[in-house]
Amino acid sequence: MGLSPKDRKLLWGNAALRCSWCQKILLNDESKSEEPSVFGEECHIVGKNPTSARSEADLSPEEREVYDNYILLCGNHHKVVDDHRQKFTVEKLKNMKEEHENWVKTNLDSSEKQAIYKRYYKEIVNEWAERIDLEYWDGWTHEITVHPYPQMHSKRFEKFSELNQWMLTRILPGLVEEIDIAFMNFNNVLNDLLLTFQSQTTLIMDGTIMRTEKFYQHKGGSSFDVERYDRLKKDYDEHINLVTDLVFELTRAGNYFCETVRDHLDGEFQLEAGKLPVIIAAGICEEAVMCIPQYSTAGREYTPYHNLEDFKVKRYERDLHTEPLEES
C-alpha cells in the first residue's frame, strides 16, 4: 500500500530531506559520487508485517501506512534501528521523529529548506536528462518514426529500459507536486512505448539493431492466403502507427516535464536548447518534416497520459498523430 502522496509530502517536507537521527541531508555528494542520488528511506515505526521490527502494536494494515507511523532515516540508521529493535522501540522512534522535526522548525528557515528541496529535484532532473539523451532527442526518435522500418539500437533500448526502472523507483516526496506529476507521466509513456515497440521487433546486424518485423509477409511453406495477408498487413500498419504516436506522446511528455522544471525549479533548464522536436517522414524517400508535439493547456491540468488503452482512443485528439486506418 505505502504512503499516500499527501503523507509522503509531509514526511519528507517536515524532515527537510534529512535523516531523523543523524540529520544528514539525504543526497549523495556530487563531488564524491559519479551518480548522485537520493538515498533516504521511509521507515515504518510500527512494522508493516508480523515478522517486521516493532510489529506487535495493535494497528490495522491501513493505520500502518500513514504519516504518523513513518520516520525518515538514512540507509545506515534504518538498518541500525531494525537490527536493534529491543533498544529502538516504537516510543523511542516517535520521540526521535518529533525531536528532529522540532529541530527543523527551530534551526532551518524557509530559504534553507527550499535550497535543500531544490537540490533534491535538480539531482533527479539532471540524471533524467542524461539518461534519456536529451541533447540527441531528434536523432534517436527519428530512428523510430521513419517508415516503414521503425528501429532502435539494442544498447539504446537497454539503456532506456534501465531508465524506465530508475524512474519507477525514484522517491518523489511530493514537495513540488507539478514536477512529480510530469515525471511520472513521462515514465508511463516511456514504459508503454518500450513494451509496444519491443513486441514486434527482430534483431538484425548481429543483434545490434532492433527493427520492427514485417510479420504480414508470406514466408513460404504453404499456399498464399490473401485474407490472412490483408489482416496481418492491417495489424502491422496499426502497430507502426501506434509506435509512432507513442513517440509523439513521449515528446509531448518530455516537453511537459522540461517546461514544468522551468516553471518550478530552474528557469534556464533546456532554455537555450529549446523544445524537443520529432522528425517524421511518410516514407523512406519522402522529405522529412520537423514537428514539436505539445500538450494543450487544458490537458496539463491532470496527468495527460493515463494508460495505453485510453491513449489508443484519445491519441487522435492530440496536436500531432497518424491517420486512423480505414475500416475494411
Side-chain angles (χ1 to χ4, degrees):
M1 185 186 304
L3 282 169
S4 68
K6 179 181 178 181
D7 281 353
R8 174 166 286 116
K9 182 175 182 178
L10 280 174
L11 181 69
W12 286 79
N14 290 348
L17 276 71
R18 293 173 180 258
C19 173
S20 298
W21 182 339
C22 64
Q23 298 179 344
K24 177 188 288 187
I25 297 177
L26 299 175
L27 291 167
N28 284 335
D29 188 341
E30 288 184 80
S31 64
K32 299 178 181 179
S33 173
E34 292 183 359
E35 283 198 26
S37 61
V38 180
F39 62 95
E41 296 185 5
E42 300 169 346
C43 315
H44 286 86
I45 295 176
V46 174
K48 179 180 181 179
N49 303 309
T51 57
S52 302
R54 301 170 301 280
S55 63
E56 64 280 357
D58 187 20
L59 290 180
S60 67
E62 291 77 17
E63 291 171 324
R64 294 170 192 248
E65 300 300 331
V66 296
Y67 162 75
D68 288 341
N69 192 47
Y70 274 83
I71 181 172
L72 191 64
L73 295 171
C74 63
N76 289 338
H77 286 128
H78 185 188
K79 186 175 188 305
V80 171
V81 300
D82 282 357
D83 287 350
H84 301 84
R85 57 188 70 184
Q86 297 302 320
K87 179 179 179 181
F88 294 96
T89 62
V90 169
E91 182 179 3
K92 188 174 183 67
L93 291 186
K94 285 187 174 182
N95 288 338
M96 182 188 295
K97 177 182 177 181
E98 182 179 2
E99 289 172 5
H100 173 66
E101 292 184 352
N102 287 335
W103 177 87
V104 169
K105 292 176 184 177
T106 304
N107 293 279
L108 298 181
D109 60 28
S110 59
S111 62
E112 288 178 294
K113 286 188 281 188
Q114 286 301 318
I116 296 171
Y117 302 158
K118 190 172 182 179
R119 181 185 168 199
Y120 176 99
Y121 278 102
K122 275 192 172 182
E123 299 286 3
I124 292 177
V125 170
N126 290 338
E127 186 163 352
W128 168 81
E130 181 178 347
R131 284 174 176 253
I132 197 62
D133 284 346
L134 211 57
E135 295 182 357
Y136 188 59
W137 186 276
D138 57 340
W140 72 258
T141 54
H142 183 242
E143 296 174 3
I144 305 176
T145 56
V146 173
H147 294 262
Y149 304 117
Q151 64 184 31
M152 186 187 297
H153 287 273
S154 300
K155 288 186 177 180
R156 187 179 302 281
F157 183 88
E158 182 179 346
K159 179 181 178 180
F160 287 173
S161 297
E162 291 173 355
L163 169 63
N164 180 219
Q165 291 303 308
W166 176 83
M167 294 184 73
L168 188 64
T169 56
R170 290 312 87 193
I171 298 172
L172 298 175
L175 301 173
V176 187
E177 186 176 11
E178 294 85 355
I179 292 180
D180 293 352
I181 291 173
F183 184 84
M184 291 185 289
N185 182 77
F186 182 91
N187 197 40
N188 289 340
V189 181
L190 177 63
N191 180 72
D192 286 345
L193 170 60
L194 293 175
L195 290 175
T196 303
F197 171 74
Q198 184 185 34
S199 68
Q200 298 294 349
T201 57
T202 186
L203 293 174
I204 62 171
M205 303 292 289
D206 296 325
T208 60
I209 301 291
M210 298 173 67
R211 173 175 288 181
T212 301
E213 182 179 15
K214 291 185 175 182
F215 53 83
Y216 61 88
Q217 290 182 332
H218 181 65
K219 298 180 179 179
S222 61
S223 59
F224 182 72
D225 187 331
V226 176
E227 184 178 340
R228 178 180 180 276
Y229 175 89
D230 290 342
R231 174 172 51 81
L232 291 180
K233 180 60 167 63
K234 183 177 180 181
D235 290 345
Y236 172 82
D237 291 340
E238 172 56 28
H239 174 75
I240 296 298
N241 284 355
L242 180 58
V243 169
T244 302
D245 283 335
L246 282 167
V247 173
F248 296 161
E249 186 73 3
L250 190 70
T251 307
R252 277 185 209 97
N255 279 319
Y256 174 42
F257 184 59
C258 291
E259 290 167 13
T260 305
V261 169
R262 285 194 291 272
D263 288 343
H264 299 278
L265 182 65
D266 180 0
E268 296 185 358
F269 180 72
Q270 284 292 112
L271 195 61
E272 185 176 344
K275 296 177 181 178
L276 301 176
V278 288
I279 300 173
I280 59 174
I284 294 177
C285 298
E286 297 293 328
E287 183 179 354
V289 178
M290 180 176 287
C291 304
I292 300 177
Q294 298 183 91
Y295 290 122
S296 65
T297 302
R300 301 180 195 183
E301 295 179 2
Y302 307 97
T303 304
Y305 184 88
H306 299 130
N307 56 63
L308 184 60
E309 293 307 312
D310 179 76
F311 177 70
K312 287 179 180 179
V313 176
K314 293 186 177 178
R315 58 180 160 152
Y316 300 117
E317 301 172 7
R318 302 295 203 227
D319 58 346
L320 178 67
H321 56 79
T322 58
E323 291 300 316
L325 298 179
E326 295 182 3
E327 294 293 332
S328 50

Coordinates of all heavy atoms in Angstrom, one line a residue, residues 148-215:
P148 N 9.2 2.5 -43.6 CA 8.4 1.6 -42.9 C 9.2 0.7 -41.9 O 8.9 -0.4 -41.6 CB 7.9 0.7 -44.0 CG 9.0 0.7 -45.0 CD 9.7 2.0 -44.9
Y149 N 10.4 1.2 -41.4 CA 11.2 0.4 -40.6 C 11.6 1.0 -39.2 O 12.7 1.4 -39.0 CB 12.6 0.1 -41.3 CG 12.4 -0.5 -42.7 CD1 12.9 0.2 -43.8 CD2 11.9 -1.8 -42.8 CE1 12.8 -0.4 -45.1 CE2 11.8 -2.4 -44.1 CZ 12.2 -1.7 -45.2 OH 12.1 -2.2 -46.4
P150 N 10.6 1.2 -38.4 CA 10.9 1.7 -37.0 C 12.0 0.8 -36.4 O 11.8 -0.4 -36.3 CB 9.6 1.6 -36.3 CG 8.6 1.6 -37.4 CD 9.2 0.8 -38.5
Q151 N 13.0 1.4 -35.9 CA 14.1 0.6 -35.3 C 14.8 1.4 -34.2 O 14.6 2.6 -34.1 CB 15.1 0.3 -36.4 CG 15.9 1.4 -37.0 CD 16.8 1.0 -38.1 OE1 16.5 0.0 -38.8 NE2 17.9 1.7 -38.3
M152 N 15.6 0.7 -33.4 CA 16.4 1.3 -32.3 C 17.6 0.5 -32.1 O 17.6 -0.8 -32.2 CB 15.5 1.4 -31.1 CG 16.2 2.1 -29.9 SD 15.2 2.1 -28.3 CE 13.7 2.9 -28.8
H153 N 18.7 1.1 -31.7 CA 19.9 0.4 -31.4 C 19.6 -0.4 -30.1 O 19.0 0.1 -29.2 CB 21.1 1.3 -31.1 CG 21.6 1.9 -32.4 ND1 22.6 1.3 -33.1 CD2 21.4 3.0 -33.1 CE1 22.9 2.0 -34.2 NE2 22.2 3.1 -34.2
S154 N 20.1 -1.7 -30.1 CA 19.8 -2.6 -28.9 C 20.3 -2.0 -27.6 O 19.6 -2.0 -26.6 CB 20.4 -3.9 -29.2 OG 19.9 -4.5 -30.3
K155 N 21.5 -1.3 -27.7 CA 22.0 -0.7 -26.5 C 21.2 0.4 -26.0 O 21.1 0.6 -24.8 CB 23.5 -0.3 -26.7 CG 24.5 -1.5 -26.8 CD 25.9 -1.0 -26.9 CE 26.9 -2.2 -27.0 NZ 28.3 -1.7 -27.1
R156 N 20.6 1.2 -26.9 CA 19.8 2.3 -26.5 C 18.5 1.8 -25.9 O 18.0 2.3 -24.8 CB 19.4 3.2 -27.7 CG 18.7 4.4 -27.3 CD 18.4 5.3 -28.5 NE 19.5 5.7 -29.3 CZ 20.4 6.6 -28.9 NH1 20.2 7.3 -27.8 NH2 21.4 6.9 -29.6
F157 N 17.9 0.7 -26.4 CA 16.7 0.1 -25.8 C 17.0 -0.4 -24.4 O 16.2 -0.1 -23.5 CB 16.2 -1.0 -26.7 CG 15.0 -1.7 -26.2 CD1 13.7 -1.2 -26.6 CD2 15.0 -2.7 -25.3 CE1 12.6 -1.7 -26.1 CE2 13.8 -3.3 -24.8 CZ 12.6 -2.8 -25.2
E158 N 18.2 -1.0 -24.2 CA 18.6 -1.5 -22.9 C 18.7 -0.3 -22.0 O 18.3 -0.3 -20.8 CB 19.9 -2.2 -23.0 CG 20.3 -2.8 -21.7 CD 21.6 -3.6 -21.8 OE1 22.0 -3.9 -23.0 OE2 22.3 -3.9 -20.8
K159 N 19.4 0.8 -22.5 CA 19.6 2.0 -21.6 C 18.2 2.6 -21.2 O 18.1 3.0 -20.1 CB 20.4 3.0 -22.4 CG 20.7 4.3 -21.7 CD 21.5 5.2 -22.6 CE 21.8 6.6 -22.0 NZ 22.5 7.5 -22.8
F160 N 17.3 2.7 -22.2 CA 16.0 3.3 -21.8 C 15.2 2.4 -20.9 O 14.4 2.9 -20.1 CB 15.2 3.6 -23.1 CG 15.8 4.7 -23.9 CD1 15.3 5.0 -25.2 CD2 16.8 5.5 -23.4 CE1 15.8 6.1 -25.9 CE2 17.3 6.6 -24.1 CZ 16.8 6.9 -25.3
S161 N 15.3 1.1 -21.0 CA 14.7 0.1 -20.1 C 15.2 0.3 -18.7 O 14.4 0.3 -17.7 CB 14.9 -1.3 -20.6 OG 14.3 -1.6 -21.8
E162 N 16.5 0.6 -18.6 CA 17.1 0.9 -17.3 C 16.6 2.2 -16.7 O 16.3 2.3 -15.5 CB 18.6 0.9 -17.4 CG 19.2 -0.5 -17.6 CD 20.7 -0.5 -17.9 OE1 21.3 0.7 -18.0 OE2 21.3 -1.5 -18.0
L163 N 16.4 3.2 -17.6 CA 15.9 4.5 -17.2 C 14.4 4.3 -16.7 O 14.0 4.9 -15.7 CB 15.9 5.4 -18.4 CG 15.1 6.7 -18.2 CD1 15.7 7.6 -17.1 CD2 15.0 7.5 -19.5
N164 N 13.7 3.5 -17.4 CA 12.3 3.2 -17.0 C 12.2 2.7 -15.6 O 11.4 3.1 -14.8 CB 11.7 2.2 -18.0 CG 10.2 1.8 -17.7 OD1 9.8 0.7 -17.8 ND2 9.4 2.8 -17.3
Q165 N 13.1 1.7 -15.3 CA 13.1 1.2 -13.9 C 13.7 2.2 -12.9 O 13.2 2.3 -11.8 CB 14.0 -0.1 -13.9 CG 13.4 -1.3 -14.6 CD 12.0 -1.6 -14.1 OE1 11.8 -1.8 -12.9 NE2 11.0 -1.7 -14.9
W166 N 14.6 3.0 -13.3 CA 15.2 4.0 -12.4 C 14.1 5.0 -12.1 O 14.0 5.4 -10.9 CB 16.4 4.7 -13.1 CG 17.0 5.8 -12.4 CD1 17.9 5.8 -11.4 CD2 16.7 7.2 -12.5 NE1 18.2 7.0 -10.9 CE2 17.5 8.0 -11.6 CE3 15.8 8.0 -13.4 CZ2 17.4 9.3 -11.5 CZ3 15.8 9.3 -13.3 CH2 16.6 10.0 -12.4
M167 N 13.4 5.5 -13.1 CA 12.3 6.5 -12.8 C 11.2 5.9 -11.9 O 10.7 6.5 -11.0 CB 11.7 6.9 -14.1 CG 12.6 7.8 -15.0 SD 11.9 8.4 -16.5 CE 10.8 9.7 -15.8
L168 N 10.9 4.6 -12.1 CA 9.9 3.9 -11.4 C 10.2 3.8 -9.9 O 9.4 3.9 -9.0 CB 9.6 2.5 -11.9 CG 8.5 1.7 -11.4 CD1 7.2 2.4 -11.7 CD2 8.5 0.3 -11.9
T169 N 11.5 3.7 -9.6 CA 12.0 3.5 -8.2 C 12.4 4.8 -7.5 O 12.9 4.8 -6.4 CB 13.1 2.5 -8.1 OG1 14.2 2.9 -9.0 CG2 12.6 1.1 -8.6
R170 N 12.3 6.0 -8.2 CA 12.7 7.2 -7.6 C 11.7 7.6 -6.5 O 10.5 7.3 -6.6 CB 12.8 8.4 -8.5 CG 13.9 8.4 -9.6 CD 15.2 8.1 -9.0 NE 15.5 6.7 -8.9 CZ 16.5 6.1 -8.3 NH1 17.3 6.9 -7.6 NH2 16.6 4.8 -8.3
I171 N 12.2 8.1 -5.4 CA 11.3 8.6 -4.3 C 10.9 10.0 -4.7 O 11.7 10.9 -4.7 CB 12.1 8.6 -3.0 CG1 12.4 7.1 -2.6 CG2 11.2 9.2 -1.9 CD1 13.3 7.0 -1.4
L172 N 9.6 10.2 -4.9 CA 9.1 11.5 -5.2 C 8.3 12.0 -4.0 O 7.1 11.6 -3.8 CB 8.2 11.5 -6.5 CG 9.0 11.1 -7.7 CD1 8.0 11.0 -8.9 CD2 10.1 12.1 -8.1
P173 N 8.8 12.8 -3.1 CA 8.2 13.2 -1.9 C 7.0 14.1 -2.0 O 6.4 14.5 -1.0 CB 9.3 13.8 -1.1 CG 10.2 14.4 -2.1 CD 10.2 13.4 -3.2
G174 N 6.7 14.6 -3.2 CA 5.6 15.5 -3.3 C 5.8 16.9 -2.9 O 4.9 17.7 -2.7
L175 N 7.1 17.3 -2.8 CA 7.4 18.7 -2.4 C 7.1 19.7 -3.5 O 6.8 20.8 -3.2 CB 8.9 18.7 -1.9 CG 9.3 17.8 -0.8 CD1 10.8 17.8 -0.6 CD2 8.5 18.2 0.5
V176 N 7.3 19.2 -4.7 CA 6.8 20.0 -5.9 C 5.9 19.1 -6.7 O 6.4 18.4 -7.6 CB 8.0 20.6 -6.7 CG1 7.5 21.5 -7.8 CG2 9.1 21.2 -5.8
E177 N 4.7 19.2 -6.4 CA 3.7 18.2 -7.0 C 3.7 18.2 -8.5 O 3.6 17.2 -9.2 CB 2.3 18.5 -6.4 CG 1.3 17.4 -6.8 CD -0.1 17.7 -6.2 OE1 -0.2 18.8 -5.6 OE2 -0.9 16.8 -6.3
E178 N 3.8 19.4 -9.1 CA 3.8 19.6 -10.5 C 4.9 18.8 -11.2 O 4.7 18.2 -12.2 CB 3.8 21.1 -10.9 CG 2.6 21.9 -10.5 CD 2.7 22.4 -9.0 OE1 3.7 22.0 -8.4 OE2 1.8 23.1 -8.6
I179 N 6.1 18.9 -10.6 CA 7.2 18.1 -11.2 C 7.0 16.6 -11.0 O 7.3 15.8 -11.9 CB 8.5 18.6 -10.5 CG1 8.9 20.0 -10.9 CG2 9.7 17.6 -10.9 CD1 10.2 20.5 -10.3
D180 N 6.5 16.2 -9.8 CA 6.2 14.8 -9.6 C 5.3 14.2 -10.7 O 5.5 13.1 -11.2 CB 5.6 14.6 -8.2 CG 6.6 14.9 -7.1 OD1 7.8 15.1 -7.4 OD2 6.2 14.9 -5.9
I181 N 4.2 15.0 -10.9 CA 3.2 14.5 -11.9 C 3.8 14.4 -13.3 O 3.6 13.4 -14.0 CB 2.0 15.5 -11.9 CG1 1.2 15.3 -10.6 CG2 1.1 15.2 -13.1 CD1 0.1 16.3 -10.4
A182 N 4.6 15.4 -13.7 CA 5.2 15.4 -15.1 C 6.2 14.3 -15.2 O 6.3 13.7 -16.2 CB 5.8 16.8 -15.4
F183 N 6.9 14.0 -14.1 CA 7.9 13.0 -14.1 C 7.3 11.6 -14.3 O 7.7 10.8 -15.1 CB 8.7 13.1 -12.8 CG 9.8 12.1 -12.6 CD1 11.1 12.4 -13.1 CD2 9.7 10.9 -11.9 CE1 12.2 11.6 -12.9 CE2 10.7 10.0 -11.8 CZ 12.0 10.4 -12.3
M184 N 6.2 11.4 -13.5 CA 5.5 10.1 -13.6 C 4.8 9.9 -14.9 O 4.8 8.8 -15.5 CB 4.6 9.9 -12.4 CG 5.2 9.8 -11.1 SD 4.1 9.5 -9.7 CE 3.3 11.1 -9.6
N185 N 4.3 11.0 -15.4 CA 3.6 11.0 -16.7 C 4.6 10.5 -17.8 O 4.3 9.7 -18.7 CB 3.1 12.3 -17.1 CG 2.3 12.4 -18.4 OD1 1.2 11.9 -18.5 ND2 2.9 12.9 -19.4
F186 N 5.8 11.1 -17.8 CA 6.8 10.7 -18.8 C 7.2 9.3 -18.7 O 7.2 8.6 -19.7 CB 8.1 11.6 -18.6 CG 9.2 11.3 -19.6 CD1 9.2 12.0 -20.8 CD2 10.1 10.3 -19.4 CE1 10.2 11.8 -21.7 CE2 11.1 10.0 -20.4 CZ 11.1 10.7 -21.5
N187 N 7.3 8.8 -17.5 CA 7.7 7.4 -17.4 C 6.6 6.4 -17.8 O 6.9 5.3 -18.3 CB 8.2 7.1 -15.9 CG 8.9 5.8 -15.8 OD1 9.8 5.5 -16.7 ND2 8.7 5.0 -14.8
N188 N 5.4 6.8 -17.6 CA 4.3 5.9 -18.0 C 4.3 5.8 -19.5 O 4.0 4.7 -20.1 CB 2.9 6.5 -17.5 CG 2.7 6.4 -16.1 OD1 3.4 5.6 -15.4 ND2 1.9 7.2 -15.5
V189 N 4.5 6.9 -20.2 CA 4.6 6.9 -21.7 C 5.8 6.0 -22.1 O 5.7 5.2 -23.0 CB 4.7 8.3 -22.3 CG1 4.7 8.2 -23.8 CG2 3.5 9.1 -21.8
L190 N 6.9 6.3 -21.5 CA 8.2 5.6 -21.9 C 8.0 4.1 -21.7 O 8.3 3.3 -22.6 CB 9.3 6.0 -21.0 CG 10.7 5.3 -21.2 CD1 11.2 5.5 -22.6 CD2 11.7 5.7 -20.2
N191 N 7.3 3.6 -20.6 CA 7.1 2.2 -20.4 C 6.3 1.6 -21.5 O 6.6 0.5 -22.0 CB 6.4 2.0 -19.0 CG 6.1 0.6 -18.7 OD1 7.0 -0.2 -18.4 ND2 4.9 0.2 -18.8
D192 N 5.2 2.3 -21.9 CA 4.3 1.7 -22.9 C 4.9 1.8 -24.3 O 4.7 0.9 -25.1 CB 3.0 2.5 -22.9 CG 2.1 2.1 -21.7 OD1 2.4 1.0 -21.1 OD2 1.1 2.8 -21.4
L193 N 5.8 2.8 -24.6 CA 6.5 2.8 -25.8 C 7.4 1.7 -26.0 O 7.5 1.0 -27.0 CB 7.2 4.1 -26.0 CG 8.2 4.2 -27.1 CD1 7.5 4.0 -28.5 CD2 9.0 5.6 -27.1
L194 N 8.2 1.4 -24.9 CA 9.2 0.3 -25.0 C 8.5 -1.0 -25.1 O 9.0 -1.9 -25.9 CB 10.1 0.3 -23.7 CG 11.0 1.5 -23.5 CD1 11.7 1.5 -22.1 CD2 12.0 1.6 -24.6
L195 N 7.5 -1.3 -24.4 CA 6.8 -2.6 -24.5 C 6.1 -2.7 -25.9 O 6.2 -3.8 -26.4 CB 5.7 -2.7 -23.4 CG 6.2 -2.8 -22.0 CD1 5.1 -2.8 -21.0 CD2 7.0 -4.1 -21.8
T196 N 5.5 -1.7 -26.4 CA 4.8 -1.8 -27.7 C 5.8 -2.0 -28.8 O 5.6 -2.8 -29.7 CB 4.0 -0.5 -27.9 OG1 3.1 -0.3 -26.8 CG2 3.2 -0.6 -29.2
F197 N 6.9 -1.2 -28.8 CA 7.9 -1.3 -29.8 C 8.6 -2.7 -29.8 O 8.7 -3.3 -30.8 CB 9.0 -0.2 -29.6 CG 10.2 -0.4 -30.5 CD1 10.1 -0.1 -31.8 CD2 11.4 -0.9 -29.9 CE1 11.3 -0.2 -32.6 CE2 12.5 -1.0 -30.7 CZ 12.4 -0.7 -32.1
Q198 N 8.9 -3.2 -28.6 CA 9.6 -4.5 -28.5 C 8.7 -5.6 -28.9 O 9.3 -6.7 -29.4 CB 10.0 -4.7 -27.0 CG 10.9 -5.9 -26.8 CD 11.2 -6.2 -25.4 OE1 10.4 -5.8 -24.5 NE2 12.3 -6.7 -25.1
S199 N 7.4 -5.5 -28.8 CA 6.5 -6.6 -29.1 C 6.6 -7.2 -30.5 O 6.3 -8.4 -30.7 CB 5.1 -6.2 -28.7 OG 4.6 -5.3 -29.7
Q200 N 7.0 -6.4 -31.4 CA 7.1 -6.8 -32.8 C 8.4 -6.6 -33.5 O 8.5 -6.2 -34.7 CB 6.0 -6.1 -33.6 CG 4.5 -6.4 -33.2 CD 4.1 -7.9 -33.4 OE1 4.8 -8.6 -34.0 NE2 3.0 -8.2 -32.8
T201 N 9.5 -6.7 -32.7 CA 10.8 -6.4 -33.3 C 11.6 -7.7 -33.5 O 11.3 -8.7 -32.8 CB 11.6 -5.5 -32.4 OG1 11.7 -6.1 -31.1 CG2 11.0 -4.1 -32.3
T202 N 12.5 -7.6 -34.4 CA 13.5 -8.7 -34.6 C 14.9 -8.1 -34.6 O 15.1 -6.9 -34.9 CB 13.2 -9.4 -35.9 OG1 14.1 -10.5 -36.1 CG2 13.5 -8.5 -37.1
L203 N 15.9 -8.9 -34.2 CA 17.3 -8.4 -34.2 C 18.0 -8.5 -35.5 O 17.9 -9.6 -36.2 CB 18.1 -9.1 -33.1 CG 17.6 -8.9 -31.7 CD1 18.4 -9.8 -30.7 CD2 17.8 -7.5 -31.2
I204 N 18.6 -7.5 -36.0 CA 19.4 -7.5 -37.2 C 20.8 -7.0 -36.9 O 21.1 -6.6 -35.8 CB 18.8 -6.7 -38.3 CG1 18.7 -5.2 -37.9 CG2 17.4 -7.3 -38.6 CD1 18.2 -4.3 -39.1
M205 N 21.7 -7.1 -37.9 CA 23.0 -6.5 -37.8 C 23.8 -7.1 -36.6 O 24.3 -6.4 -35.7 CB 23.0 -5.0 -37.7 CG 22.4 -4.3 -38.9 SD 23.3 -4.5 -40.4 CE 24.7 -3.4 -40.0
D206 N 23.7 -8.5 -36.5 CA 24.4 -9.2 -35.4 C 23.9 -8.8 -34.0 O 24.6 -8.7 -33.0 CB 25.9 -9.0 -35.4 CG 26.6 -9.6 -36.7 OD1 26.1 -10.6 -37.1 OD2 27.5 -9.0 -37.2
G207 N 22.6 -8.5 -34.0 CA 21.9 -8.2 -32.7 C 22.1 -6.8 -32.2 O 21.6 -6.4 -31.1
T208 N 22.7 -5.9 -33.1 CA 22.9 -4.5 -32.6 C 21.7 -3.6 -32.9 O 21.7 -2.5 -32.3 CB 24.1 -3.9 -33.3 OG1 23.9 -3.9 -34.7 CG2 25.4 -4.8 -33.0
I209 N 20.8 -4.0 -33.7 CA 19.7 -3.2 -34.1 C 18.4 -4.0 -33.8 O 18.3 -5.2 -34.2 CB 19.7 -2.8 -35.6 CG1 21.0 -2.0 -35.9 CG2 18.4 -2.0 -35.9 CD1 21.0 -0.6 -35.2
M210 N 17.4 -3.3 -33.2 CA 16.0 -3.9 -33.1 C 15.2 -3.2 -34.2 O 15.0 -2.0 -34.1 CB 15.5 -3.6 -31.7 CG 16.3 -4.3 -30.6 SD 15.7 -3.7 -28.9 CE 14.1 -4.5 -28.9
R211 N 14.6 -4.0 -35.1 CA 13.8 -3.5 -36.1 C 12.4 -4.1 -36.1 O 12.3 -5.3 -35.9 CB 14.5 -3.7 -37.5 CG 13.6 -3.3 -38.7 CD 14.3 -3.4 -40.0 NE 15.3 -2.4 -40.2 CZ 16.1 -2.2 -41.2 NH1 16.0 -3.1 -42.2 NH2 17.0 -1.2 -41.3
T212 N 11.4 -3.4 -36.4 CA 10.1 -3.9 -36.5 C 9.9 -4.9 -37.6 O 10.3 -4.6 -38.7 CB 9.0 -2.8 -36.7 OG1 9.2 -1.8 -35.6 CG2 7.6 -3.3 -36.7
E213 N 9.5 -6.1 -37.3 CA 9.4 -7.2 -38.2 C 8.1 -7.0 -39.1 O 7.0 -6.7 -38.6 CB 9.3 -8.5 -37.5 CG 9.3 -9.7 -38.4 CD 9.3 -11.0 -37.6 OE1 9.0 -11.0 -36.3 OE2 9.5 -12.1 -38.2
K214 N 8.3 -7.3 -40.3 CA 7.1 -7.3 -41.2 C 6.4 -8.7 -41.1 O 6.5 -9.6 -42.0 CB 7.5 -7.1 -42.7 CG 8.1 -5.6 -42.9 CD 8.4 -5.4 -44.4 CE 8.7 -4.0 -44.7 NZ 9.0 -3.7 -46.1
F215 N 5.6 -8.8 -40.0 CA 5.1 -10.1 -39.7 C 3.9 -10.5 -40.7 O 3.4 -11.6 -40.6 CB 4.6 -10.1 -38.3 CG 3.7 -9.0 -37.9 CD1 2.3 -9.1 -38.2 CD2 4.1 -7.9 -37.2 CE1 1.4 -8.1 -37.8 CE2 3.3 -6.8 -36.9 CZ 1.9 -6.9 -37.1

